[in-house]
């Protein structure tokens, strides 16, 4: 049976992760150990549990106790489930819970870049992608379209921010990922044996269906920030600069949309 705890006091410290801690505070709350993140909705939480993440507590609307989340909660019988009506929980958190369920979970140490990429053939590299919505959408495309791993430069948003997790539909728990130490990723990628394809608007760029790209055994697809794109030195150091042909005078796609096109084209088996 789930460990159901009706909420009678909004001020108890056990509710801090849901009501009073910001995303950066959750990230650092157990330092020097790993911090917490918040997963939202039964499907997303289930994917996190399947990936081995450890729950600390749940926050559930009363209707979830015998509803869609009942099986999930029954499998975590030793974990506290704080519960109240939807209206009270919206007052507590400041937003309506997606599918009526949140879970505070422990982070895990990030894997080393070398280990993550040892057997990878196609990886995505995000440089200064700071919008959690875009990051989540890129992870969802990466999972759906055959990317083996995702690397992020230090200035990128955290893929375990609540919005990034929600937009990804929990695929951040299915695709291996980690942060690079370097702001400029190309030298590290070349040391790992990857050829690099910088997605950018450039007169020297080759179209994304250039047949040479299909022959590369280990390819890193580089995607830049929402406003300025990839840094000039990243583009200059890459083996290829790659563009997506546009119609109707459109100059570019949002980075998340561009990632889906790039992953579909560059991860397909050779024809």
């Amino acid at each position: 049976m789930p460990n159901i705890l009706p909420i009678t006091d909004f001020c108890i410290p056990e509710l801090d992760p849901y009501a009073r801690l910001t995303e950066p505070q959750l990230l650092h709350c157990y330092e020097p150990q790993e911090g917490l993140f918040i997963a939202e909705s039964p499907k997303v939480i289930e994917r996190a549990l399947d990936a081995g993440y450890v729950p600390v507590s749940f926050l559930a609307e009363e209707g979830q106790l015998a509803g869609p989340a009942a099986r999930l909660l029954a499998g975590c019988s030793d974990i506290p489930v704080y519960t109240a009506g939807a209206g009270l929980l919206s007052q507590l958190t400041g937003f309506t819970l997606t599918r009526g369920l949140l879970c505070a979970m422990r982070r895990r140490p990030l894997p080393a870049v070398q280990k993550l990429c040892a057997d990878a053939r196609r990886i995505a590299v995000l440089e200064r992608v700071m919008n959690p919505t875009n990051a989540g959408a890129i992870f969802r495309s990466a999972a759906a379209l055959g990317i083996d791993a995702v690397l992020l430069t230090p200035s990128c948003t955290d893929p375990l921010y609540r919005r990034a997790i929600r937009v990804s539909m929990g695929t951040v728990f299915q695709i291996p990922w980690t942060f690079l130490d370097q702001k400029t990723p190309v030298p590290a990628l070349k040391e790992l044996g990857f050829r690099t394809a910088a997605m950018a608007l450039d007169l020297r760029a080759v179209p994304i269906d250039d047949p040479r790209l299909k022959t590369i055994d280990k390819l890193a697809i580089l995607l830049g920030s929402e406003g300025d794109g990839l840094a000039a030195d990243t583009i200059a150091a890459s083996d290829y600069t790659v563009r997506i042909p546009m119609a109707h005078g459109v100059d570019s796609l949002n980075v998340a949309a561009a990632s889906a096109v790039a992953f579909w084209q560059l991860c397909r088996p050779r024809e």
Side-chain angles (χ1 to χ4, degrees):
M1 292 289 291
N3 181 17
I4 306 300
L5 300 171
I7 296 172
T8 58
D9 182 357
F10 277 8
C11 296
I12 60 173
E14 289 83 358
L15 297 178
D16 286 350
Y18 305 106
R20 288 174 283 276
L21 297 183
T22 64
E23 298 274 19
Q25 288 171 331
L26 287 169
L27 174 62
H28 297 292
C29 65
Y30 287 149
E31 284 187 340
Q33 300 179 47
E34 305 299 322
L36 298 176
F37 66 89
I38 302 295
E40 187 173 0
S41 87
K43 179 184 288 292
V44 168
I45 294 167
E46 186 169 28
R47 285 180 171 167
L49 293 171
D50 289 344
Y53 286 90
V54 177
V56 173
S57 66
F58 292 93
L59 187 69
E61 291 181 5
E62 291 171 338
Q64 287 289 329
L65 302 180
R71 180 181 58 82
L72 186 154
L73 295 174
C76 300
S77 58
D78 57 336
I79 306 300
V81 181
Y82 298 98
T83 184
L88 285 177
L89 292 186
S90 294
Q91 292 178 38
L92 173 69
T93 62
F95 57 89
T96 300
L97 278 60
T98 301
R99 306 296 182 189
L101 189 68
L102 300 179
C103 182
M105 309 189 91
R106 290 189 179 274
R107 289 174 177 262
R108 300 189 307 204
L110 293 176
V113 172
Q114 293 79 1
K115 182 177 180 181
L116 196 72
C117 295
D119 299 317
R121 290 192 62 253
R122 293 290 184 268
I123 65 172
V125 182
L126 310 188
E127 180 182 83
R128 298 180 300 165
V129 174
M130 294 174 277
N131 185 305
T133 298
N134 284 335
I138 292 169
F139 267 89
R140 189 170 181 179
S141 293
L145 299 172
I147 290 293
D148 298 313
V150 177
L151 303 181
L152 304 98
T153 60
S155 56
C156 284
T157 189
D158 188 336
L160 294 186
Y161 279 178
R162 185 177 65 87
R163 184 164 182 80
I165 296 172
R166 185 178 69 184
V167 173
S168 82
M169 289 298 294
T171 55
V172 293
F173 308 121
Q174 298 175 313
I175 293 291
W177 63 272
T178 195
F179 279 95
L180 290 158
D181 293 330
Q182 306 94 327
K183 292 182 181 179
T184 304
V186 175
L189 297 169
K190 291 188 174 182
E191 287 181 10
L192 293 167
F194 285 91
R195 304 292 296 279
T196 49
M199 302 299 301
L201 300 174
D202 192 288
L203 293 177
R204 301 165 298 169
V206 300
I208 198 168
D209 59 354
D210 188 302
R212 291 173 294 175
L213 299 172
K214 286 286 190 179
T215 67
I216 299 171
D217 183 50
K218 292 171 71 71
L219 182 65
I221 303 164
L222 282 71
L223 297 149
S225 69
E226 293 84 354
D228 299 326
L230 291 167
D233 55 352
T234 298
I235 296 171
S238 294
D239 297 300
Y240 295 91
T241 305
V242 180
R243 61 179 171 82
I244 300 170
M246 299 283 156
H248 299 291
V250 177
D251 60 354
S252 65
L253 296 174
N254 166 275
V255 65
S259 75
V261 175
F263 300 161
W264 182 83
Q265 175 65 33
L266 298 176
C267 295
R268 287 188 300 162
R270 299 178 198 174
E271 297 175 352

